[in-house]
Structure formats: C-alpha cells, structure tokens
C-alpha cells in the first residue's frame, strides 16, 4: 500500500523531470495514482471519476509555483478540490422553540446507539438538557443498551419497551421532554437497510410526527462503494441535515465520507473516534482530506499535543529539545506528557512517514516500563536528576532499593536516557520536526 | 430458509446483474474492458484485485482467442472462483467427532454483526444435532450480554454470561467448565467488537483465546471473523489485523441481504487465503448459510429473476 500519496507522486515527477508548467502527460500520470489512492480509500467510483475530471481541468497548464515541485503542485490541487468536495463541517441547528428534536438514522451496526449517547453528552457539556429516546424496538436489547449508556453518563432515557410502535414512542418522548423542561430530544432509531420499504416508511412516519430540527445519518467510516446509495436513499426519503462518521479511530481512510457528501450535499457534522462516551469530535475537512490522501494527520497530532501538553512545560521542552540541555527531569516530564496524549503508537501513526516505526514499538512494553522508569527517577535526588553523571555504585544501589528495581535496570534506563539525549540532538537537526516543535512552542507565547 | 439466489437477488440485480448484461451477445471492445473495470470496482472488489482480474482476463482473451463478450463471462466466472478458492477448494471444515468439546471463537470490529451471527450459527449447528452452548464474552458494550441472552432464549440455546465489565477471559473459562458439566459438544464464544488497530483490545482478545487454548486441546478449533458486506477495502486490514492476533480460520460475511456486493471477499480470499465460511442474509435466526464459492459466483451471474 502506498504510505503517502505525495511521496508516490513525487517519484513520478522525478522520473518526468522538473518543468515549470504541468503538461497533460504529467497530470494524467499523477492522476492515475490519485485515482488508485481514492479507490483504495473507498471513495465511490463515480465520485472519483467526476472528481478527477475537475482536478484535471484545473491542473493542466497550471503554473507550478517556484517553491513547489510538480508533484506537490498536483497534491495541492487535489487537496484543495478534496476540501471543496468535503465542504465545511456544519453546526447543529438548535435554535428555535424547545424541545429541538434530533433523529439518528442509519444501517444496522453503524453505531447509532453509541453515537446517541455521545451526542447527548456533548450537548449537555454545551449547556443543553438532552433526553435520549430508545426507539429501536427491533434489535434485541437495543433499549437496554441505551438505558445502560444513559445511566453511565447520567442522562435521562425515555423508553416504552419494544411493544409500542416507534413513531408513538417518539411522540410521547416529546411530551415527556416538555414536562421535564428538557430542551433537546435525541431519537435513536433502529438500524435499517435503505431498501427495506416497510422500515423506511416507519422512519418517514417518525419524522412526520416529531418534525425534527436535525436528521443525521450515522455511517460507518469503513463503508465501501455502497455509501452513495445508502446516503442517497436516506436523503430522498427523510431529508438528511447532516452526517456523522463513526469508527474513525480505526485505519479506514474514510472515503465513504466524500461519497456521501458528494451525493447528498449535506455537511458532515461529527466524527466518532473511540469507545469512550467523550470520543466525539467536530468534523474538520482538512484532516479527513489528508487522511484520505494518506498524508498523515499532522493537524490532529498538533491539536492533541496542544490539549495535553502543559503550556509552559511545552515551551520549556521545545527549547530544551533544541538546546540539548536535556536532563532526567525533562525526560520524566516528557514521558508523562506523552503518556497523557495516549498510546505512543497512535501518535506516531499520525505523523507522515512514521508508520513503519510504530511496528517496532510495543505499547504494552512502553506502558509497563514507564511505571518503573517513573519510580526510578522519583527515587533520585534533584541533583542526581540534573546531573546523572554523579551516579556512582552506592547511589545506584540506593535508587534501585528505593524504587523496587535493580541496578541493572537503572543502568538500562541511563543508557536509554543517553540515547534519548542523542536523539534530541538529532531532532533539533530534522527540519520537519523542528518546525513542529518550534511552532508548538511559539504558539504558547 | 431463503435460497442463496433469493438472498443475493438484489446484489445480482443491482450490480453483477450488469456484468451479465454487459457480457451478452457482442464483440469485446475497449469499452467492454472499461465497463467491466467499473463494475468490479463498484462491487468493492478493490483497485488492486480488479487490476489483477482484468490482467488475467486479457491474457486469457489473447491466449484463447476470445472475441465474444459472452465467452469472456465464463472466463471471468472462472477467475472469480479461483480467487475465492486460493490453491483449489479449501478443505471443508470437519468436526472431529472424537473430540469432547469443539470451540468456535467469533471476532470482528464493532457493529459487524457478531452477536446476531452467533445466534444464527448456534441454531444452525443445533439443527444438525449438536449440543450447543453460547458464551457471552462481550462484557464491554452496554447490553451486549442481554442481546445474546434474548437470542439464546429464542433459539433455545443456553448462554453463559458474566457481569458487565467483568473479565472476558474469566467468562470464557466459566463457559468451558459449564460446557463440560452440561456435556455440550460445541461452545461458541461471542467477543466484544474491537477495531483491529487497538492494541490493548487485541491483547485482551488474545487472552480469551489463550484461556480457551489452555482449557481445551487445540481450541479454538475455528476462529471466525465477522465482516460486514457493506465494508470497503478496510475489510482487508481487518482480516490482516485479526489474523495476526488470533489466527482467523474463516470469515462470516454478514448483511448480504442489503445492496452491498461483498466484493471485498474476493480480495480477502485471494490475497490473504482466508476462506469465507458463512454468509448472513437477514435479521431472522435462520438467515445464515454455509458459503459455497461455486454457488456464490454462479448466483452473481444469473438472470435478474431467478
């Protein structure tokens, strides 16, 4: 598989040699690769075709800016067109008289019930008072699932068992919301195939009864070519107002999002990114575009880093990284910060070109080792941390005893630390990473 | 039980049906190849596998002097069958009757249809005279245990369950003890849905597998990966990830009653050599069938109204 489309395109243009203007042959050679990349990302075949026609028109004869290689120029055009196709993420329309109703629809197993809970949690943290409605009376235990989730996040769930028809449940739920002064009603409907006539009529009826402000299609990021037909059918029958893409935390490239957006024209509003109730993000077209093209997700990484890094510490660390006056205290605080950002592998996978490295690191090893390292460094005096050179045999024995480890392990840590020090120096010389860390540091001030 | 043909009728009408129309009575032209490519891609066969298929077909057309489109159809069927049966037909899985207890581990990503498939699979084996027990090892997802228990009641198959959020390995262990105590000869283990990229969750799955392996000789005897037929090329990654972790021996392709074609099955079988064992074709408990590559390919090419 291609790791990065831009690298692959670069290789083509290296063969062709550099020229100032993109010729037809250049562009066609490049677009063949783009086509495969988009298809492998599960963008619908017809959508790819239209998309490439647009890119081709723009690219042929385009002047290559001096600072770009021809490969980068094509990637830039592709990226821009992709952004255009993906559109801006949309906000929920929750103005107007309460209660506002949000309906979640989609196929079986797309993640509606989990998404309903995540959405409710998010709305509550925005100051809303949501009510969850269990209107999936078909799947065994679907109601129990929503009730359990509601209990976990402490949000009320309205249910009437699996004997009442879902349109009635939905209607009763609104009454309930009015009585309880709840201002958002989130209806979890049963999964249904878009070609199931009876079930599609049911969802139409629910819509007619509750007049929702939002009808959101919940779709699996792993969906293939069929995404266009699914989105199109739901849109025609119930008039979608937005899309939610789920299971984005896997390695699916999520081309289905482009397909669905292209065919319905409705915005993608949220991404569901994990199993925990708060793993729910507002959609950013830029990141998904990069991901679909296999360019890594540098923006997400930077944002993640921003959320987790303590501001001052980050600025200090960035400085230290470059100045290479890096001691065991920094080593520890860095490890702590990295740990807060989530599994190291997830982070590395986000950086273009780092994917290979992730295969060499075993996360469980790092997790376990981290605890021992923390114990060892915590058992040192401040002087020892700043200047590990003073650690003699007697100091090492004391530290090993104090941290419940062994001298061998401590020696291992010290050699690891020296290695880290060496790497920091190297990092300081790597322009891409220096740019990132410098930028992260600079943003703080 | 609905016939395979009925189950796949939509698939046929919507897409491979077009292959049929395309490869009717006419000469092969460049347009034929382009359209064939389009059809395969839209069936989620994937860019790489499609390219391979077309290359093989073109070669055959050359070598065998095929000029008529209808002849090409037979060649395409042949190539598709070959993909589904890498290295000839896989030995059908045979249950060793001398074994006291057979264990089937069912794995897959979230929402692929594991729990429903397990209920169906349990019923299928029960109707063949096996004494089945189900283990609800999805202790993570809210109400997953309830879901399996309701299915168990409907099918008349007992379910061993632990408490929500308890250790799935412990539930697996209890289920094996229960299976021996009740003299069951088949234990089907449901697991929580997990993305194949989640390291810790994959480790948890390996632990369940290890518990089974330690308790019963050579268990699990089958490890079935449940794949949603609507999935695109990511299904290949799923198959790779789960195989690397727990050694998948077969695939259950679900939700084939929808419009998706499950074309990624060709890539999974062709590239990874993992056989498709069962297909799920609806929401009812009987909507499961053993996979038959010959019939699968044939039915894809039958006329619209079969």
């Amino acid at each position: 598989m291609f790791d990065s489309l831009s690298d692959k395109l670069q290789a083509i243009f290296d063969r062709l040699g550099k020229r100032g203007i993109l010729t037809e042959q250049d562009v066609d050679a490049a677009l063949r690769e783009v086509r495969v990349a988009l298809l492998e990302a599960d963008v619908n075949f017809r959508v790819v075709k239209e998309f490439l026609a647009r890119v081709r028109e723009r690219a042929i004869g385009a002047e290559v800016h001096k600072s770009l290689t021809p490969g980068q120029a094509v990637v830039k055009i592709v990226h821009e067109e992709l952004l255009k196709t993906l559109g801006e993420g949309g906000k929920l329309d929750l103005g107007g008289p309460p209660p506002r109703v949000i309906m979640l629809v989609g196929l079986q197993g797309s993640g509606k019930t989990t998404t309903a809970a995540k959405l409710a949690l998010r709305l509550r943290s925005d100051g809303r008072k949501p009510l969850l409605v269990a209107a999936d009376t078909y799947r065994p235990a679907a109601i129990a699932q929503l009730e359990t989730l509601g209990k976990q996040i402490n949000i009320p769930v309205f249910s009437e068992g699996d004997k009442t028809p879902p349109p009635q449940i939905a209607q009763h739920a609104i009454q309930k919301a009015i009585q309880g002064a709840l201002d958002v009603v989130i209806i979890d409907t049963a999964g249904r195939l878009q070609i199931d006539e009876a079930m599609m009529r049911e969802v139409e009826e629910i819509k007619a009864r509750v007049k929702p402000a939002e009808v959101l299609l919940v779709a699996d990021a792993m969906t293939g070519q069929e995404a266009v037909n699914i989105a199109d059918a739901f849109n025609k029958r119930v008039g979608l107002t937005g899309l939610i893409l789920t299971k984005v935390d896997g390695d699916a490239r999520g081309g289905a999002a482009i397909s669905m957006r292209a065919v319905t024209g409705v915005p993608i509003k949220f991404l569901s990114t994990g199993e925990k109730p708060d793993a729910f993000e507002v959609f950013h077209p830029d990141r998904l575009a990069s991901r679909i093209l296999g360019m890594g997700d540098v923006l997400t990484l930077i944002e993640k880093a921003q959320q987790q890094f303590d501001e001052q510490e980050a600025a200090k660390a960035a400085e230290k990284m470059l100045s290479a006056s890096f001691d065991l205290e920094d080593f520890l605080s860095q490890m702590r910060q990295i740990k807060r950002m989530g599994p190291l592998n997830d982070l590395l996978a986000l950086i273009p070109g780092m994917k290979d490295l992730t295969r060499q690191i075993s996360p469980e090893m790092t997790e376990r080792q981290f605890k021992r390292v923390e114990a060892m460094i915590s058992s040192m005096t401040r002087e020892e941390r700043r200047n590990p050179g003073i650690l003699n045999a007697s100091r090492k024995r004391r530290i090993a005893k104090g941290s419940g480890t062994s001298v061998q392990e401590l020696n291992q840590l010290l050699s690891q630390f020296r290695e880290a020090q060496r790497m920091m120096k190297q990092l300081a010389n790597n322009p891409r990473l220096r740019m990132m860390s410098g930028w992260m540091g600079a943003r703080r001030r | 039980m609905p016939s395979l043909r009925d189950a796949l009728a939509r698939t046929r009408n919507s897409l491979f049906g077009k292959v049929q129309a395309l490869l009717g009575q006419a000469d092969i032209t460049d347009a034929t190849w382009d359209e064939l490519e389009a059809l395969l891609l839209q069936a989620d066969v994937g860019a790489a596998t499609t390219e391979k298929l077309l290359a093989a077909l073109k070669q055959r057309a050359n070598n065998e002097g095929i000029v008529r489109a209808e002849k090409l159809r037979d060649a395409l069927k042949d190539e598709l069958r070959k993909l589904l049966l890498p290295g000839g037909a896989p030995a059908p899985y045979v249950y060793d009757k001398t074994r006291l207890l057979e264990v089937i581990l069912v794995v897959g990503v979230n929402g692929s249809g594991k729990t429903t498939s397990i209920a169906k699979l349990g019923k299928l084996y029960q109707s063949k005279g096996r004494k089945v027990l189900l283990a609800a090892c999805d202790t993570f997802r809210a109400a997953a245990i309830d879901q399996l228990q309701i299915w168990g009641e409907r099918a008349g198959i007992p379910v061993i369950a632990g408490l929500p959020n308890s250790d799935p390995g412990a539930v697996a262990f209890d289920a094996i003890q229960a299976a021996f105590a009740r003299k069951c000869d088949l234990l089907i283990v449901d697991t929580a849905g997990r993305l194949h990229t989640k390291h810790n969750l994959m480790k948890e799955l390996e632990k369940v597998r290890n518990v089974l392996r330690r308790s019963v000789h050579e268990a699990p005897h089958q490890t079935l990966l449940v794949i949603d037929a609507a999935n695109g090329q990511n299904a290949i990654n799923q198959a790779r990830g789960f195989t690397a972790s727990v050694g998948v021996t077969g695939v259950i392709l679900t939700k084939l009653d929808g419009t998706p074609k499950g074309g990624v099955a060709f890539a999974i079988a062709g590239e990874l050599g993992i056989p498709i064992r069962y297909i799920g074709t609806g929401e009812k408990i009987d909507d499961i069938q053993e996979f038959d590559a010959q019939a699968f390919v044939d039915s894809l090419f039958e006329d619209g109204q079969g």
Side-chain angles (χ1 to χ4, degrees), chain B residues 76-99:
Chain B
L76 174 60
K77 267 169 117 170
D78 208 37
E79 292 298 323
L80 285 170
R81 244 191 328 262
K82 269 200 239 161
L83 270 181
L84 285 176
L85 305 170
Y93 176 77
V94 184
Y95 158 61
D96 178 359
K97 290 220 166 74
T98 59
R99 204 184 282 296

Side-chain angles (χ1 to χ4, degrees), chain A residues 1 35-36 39-42 44-46 107-110 114 138-146 148-149 152 191-196 199 220 222-226 229-230 247-253 273-276 343 345-346 362-364 367, chain B residues 10 34 37-39 41-44 46-49 51 109-112 116 140-148 150-151 154 165 193-201 203 228 230-238 240 255 257-261 283:
Chain A
M1 278 273 259
R35 177 173 181 269
V36 173
L39 287 171
E40 291 291 344
D42 290 322
N44 180 270
F45 172 80
R46 275 167 294 167
L107 299 193
Q108 290 92 341
S110 57
T114 310
Y138 303 92
R139 180 163 60 91
I143 297 171
Q145 185 184 353
L146 193 65
T148 309
L149 289 170
Q152 277 169 16
R192 65 199 75 220
L193 291 167
Q194 78 278 13
I195 48 167
D196 188 331
M199 290 295 281
D220 187 331
M222 296 178 276
T223 311
Q225 296 287 313
E226 198 53 23
N229 298 333
I230 296 165
K247 308 177 205 171
V248 181
D249 45 331
D251 58 359
R253 288 197 189 273
T273 55
E275 307 225 8
K276 295 203 187 96
N345 277 2
D346 290 4
S362 150
E364 111 236 353
E367 290 285 311
Chain B
R10 290 186 189 117
D34 286 351
E37 183 194 30
L39 292 175
L41 287 173
Q42 287 183 73
D44 284 320
T49 306
E51 201 180 313
V109 299
N110 316 62
S112 53
T116 308
F140 178 78
R141 180 168 62 90
I145 298 171
D146 300 350
Q147 189 182 350
L148 191 66
I150 293 170
W151 275 119
R154 286 186 193 170
N165 297 318
R194 66 201 75 222
L195 295 176
H196 49 286
T197 50
K198 304 265 163 164
H199 181 86
N200 292 345
L201 293 178
K203 285 284 164 205
D228 183 338
N231 273 190
Q233 301 311 300
N234 188 254
I236 301 169
N237 294 7
Q238 292 167 29
R240 262 202 201 106
K255 309 185 198 174
D257 51 328
T259 43
K261 338 293 181 292
E283 291 187 312

Side-chain angles (χ1 to χ4, degrees), chain A residues 124-422:
Chain A
R124 188 180 59 192
S125 66
D126 291 347
R128 294 270 172 175
K129 286 189 219 150
L131 174 67
L132 284 164
V133 183
D136 178 357
T137 56
Y138 303 92
R139 180 163 60 91
I143 297 171
Q145 185 184 353
L146 193 65
E147 282 171 342
T148 309
L149 289 170
K151 223 174 273 165
Q152 277 169 16
I153 55 177
N154 199 18
I155 285 176
V157 175
F158 180 82
S159 66
E160 290 187 324
D162 56 7
K163 299 290 180 285
T164 316
Q168 273 183 39
I169 297 177
Q171 213 169 6
H172 296 164
I174 292 177
Q175 296 309 314
K176 175 87 180 175
I178 294 170
Q179 286 162 15
L182 301 169
D183 57 7
V184 185
V185 176
I186 301 170
I187 303 176
D188 175 31
T189 65
R192 65 199 75 220
L193 291 167
Q194 78 278 13
I195 48 167
D196 188 331
E197 191 47 41
M199 290 295 281
M200 289 307 276
R201 260 206 302 273
E202 182 202 271
V203 81
E204 279 174 334
E205 202 190 328
I206 298 177
K207 186 183 175 185
R209 297 249 192 135
V210 302
K211 310 231 163 19
E214 294 275 355
V215 182
L216 304 174
L217 177 69
V218 180
D220 187 331
M222 296 178 276
T223 311
Q225 296 287 313
E226 198 53 23
V228 275
N229 298 333
I230 296 165
D232 193 40
F234 273 99
N235 193 34
K236 285 195 174 126
R237 295 296 290 262
V238 290
L240 301 174
T241 62
L243 305 168
I244 298 179
L245 207 58
T246 61
K247 308 177 205 171
V248 181
D249 45 331
D251 58 359
R253 288 197 189 273
I258 299 186
S259 306
M260 292 190 292
R261 161 80 198 187
V263 74
T264 61
V266 301
I268 301 161
K269 296 197 168 169
F270 296 101
L271 303 179
S272 177
T273 55
E275 307 225 8
K276 295 203 187 96
D278 61 350
F280 200 60
E281 292 173 9
V282 172
F283 168 70
H284 293 283
D286 200 36
R287 295 182 199 161
L288 197 66
S290 302
R291 177 177 179 138
I292 288 166
L293 288 176
M295 303 206 298
D297 205 345
V298 180
L299 281 173
T300 301
L301 175 70
I302 290 171
E303 190 176 86
K304 230 176 176 179
Q306 279 177 353
Q307 279 173 4
Q308 304 296 342
F309 261 91
D310 176 77
E311 300 209 354
Q312 284 186 340
E313 270 183 48
K316 236 169 59 187
E319 242 165 65
K320 286 244 176 175
M321 257 189 202
L322 299 182
S323 69
S325 70
F326 181 77
D327 61 27
L328 273 166
E329 263 179 350
D330 302 315
F331 188 65
L332 183 63
S333 89
Q334 241 183 24
M335 284 187 74
R336 280 184 177 146
Q337 279 170 351
I338 286 172
K339 205 185 162 213
R340 257 184 278 155
M341 285 161 71
L344 193 57
N345 277 2
D346 290 4
L347 290 172
L348 287 176
L350 293 174
I351 305 175
M354 288 287 198
K355 261 215 154 107
D356 286 337
L357 196 65
T358 60
R359 283 183 213 118
Q360 296 164 15
I361 300 174
S362 150
E364 111 236 353
M365 187 182 83
T366 50
E367 290 285 311
R368 243 189 39 222
Q369 275 185 346
F370 173 77
K371 277 191 189 146
R372 303 184 78 85
V373 167
E374 199 175 17
M376 286 188 277
I377 298 181
S378 302
S379 297
M380 294 177 191
T381 65
R382 182 161 286 181
E383 182 59 27
E384 285 163 348
R385 289 182 213 173
R386 286 196 186 137
N387 184 10
I390 63 169
L391 289 174
N392 56 23
S394 129
R395 282 177 191 263
K396 282 182 183 171
R397 269 199 304 277
R398 190 203 79 239
I399 293 164
K401 225 178 209 170
S403 57
T405 55
S406 65
V407 174
Q408 286 94 317
E409 237 175 309
L410 180 61
N411 283 333
Q412 223 174 359
L413 165 68
L414 290 173
S415 76
Q416 264 172 12
F417 166 69
R418 277 190 293 273
E419 179 69 9
Q421 245 180 345
R422 198 180 57 79

